Amino acid sequence: MIYLKIFLANFIANILGYGGGPATIPLLEHEVVHRYGWYTVNEYSEMVALGNGLPGPIATKLAGFIGYDQGGILGAAIGLFASVAPSIILLLVLLRILLKYKNSPKVKKLTQYVRPAIAVLLGVMTYNFFFNSYESSGITHTIILVVAGYLALERLKISPVFVVAGALIYGAVFLG
């Protein structure tokens, strides 16, 4: 029964959490804190804080930890599957439809109209990240990291993995 609860808690939060991992955080909180009572609000907020400090998507990290904590290794596997299953199902269905009608002029126009919307979404997210960095680290550190990140990625063609690692080291040294 615990495995079904782990699956449902993660599946429901992720199928309704449109907008990415952060959108699932309050939905998952409802499931694991209020519905099943596995954690207190404080324990859940500590999980989210620690999960945000680690690399990778927050939803899968939370699903893996919650699943493991409640049901061991099998619980972790079920939690991870339940967190990605909604996206996999929708991707398979939508890609099948898109590929079936890929030569249709309507589908071509549809994909052209989606691109600006995606650009706006990414722009808003970038602005939010920049503003959040400004609020938490100050303008000087934010500008240093933005300029250094841009130069490393665009001019020096350094892998994003090393740029993120460099930013983490910078944060540990100058902001820790």
Side-chain angles (χ1 to χ4, degrees):
M1 189 64 176
I2 189 67
Y3 299 121
L4 179 62
K5 289 179 180 178
I6 292 169
F7 179 84
L8 289 175
N10 287 287
F11 188 83
I12 290 170
N14 282 283
I15 201 162
L16 298 176
Y18 183 79
T24 65
I25 291 173
L27 299 171
L28 189 58
E29 178 191 15
H30 174 76
E31 298 295 321
V32 301
V33 172
H34 304 293
R35 176 173 289 179
Y36 297 116
W38 293 333
Y39 305 101
T40 64
V41 172
N42 190 40
E43 290 170 333
Y44 185 75
S45 67
E46 289 173 355
M47 263 190 279
V48 171
L50 184 60
N52 273 327
L54 299 173
I58 186 72
T60 53
K61 289 182 281 189
L62 290 174
F65 176 78
I66 291 167
Y68 181 78
D69 192 45
Q70 297 300 314
I73 297 291
L74 183 58
I78 290 170
L80 285 171
F81 175 74
S83 72
V84 298
S87 296
I88 292 171
I89 293 167
L90 291 173
L91 186 64
L92 291 175
V93 170
L94 292 175
L95 274 180
R96 183 169 293 231
I97 293 169
L98 187 64
L99 291 176
K100 184 175 181 179
Y101 299 105
K102 69 180 180 184
N103 294 326
S104 165
K106 288 183 179 179
V107 171
K108 288 182 178 179
K109 284 204 179 272
L110 175 82
T111 55
Q112 288 175 347
Y113 291 143
V114 168
R115 289 182 189 147
I118 292 171
V120 168
L121 290 172
L122 292 173
V124 169
M125 184 182 73
T126 302
Y127 171 77
N128 288 335
F129 281 3
F130 182 83
F131 189 73
N132 193 10
S133 175
Y134 166 72
E135 282 186 335
S136 62
S137 307
I139 191 67
T140 304
H141 291 298
T142 300
I143 289 175
I144 288 170
L145 288 169
V146 166
V147 170
Y150 174 78
L151 292 175
L153 290 169
E154 294 299 319
R155 300 286 181 172
L156 302 174
K157 305 296 182 195
I158 295 174
S159 167
V161 172
F162 296 115
V163 174
V164 170
L168 286 171
I169 292 169
Y170 180 91
V173 171
F174 295 106
L175 302 173

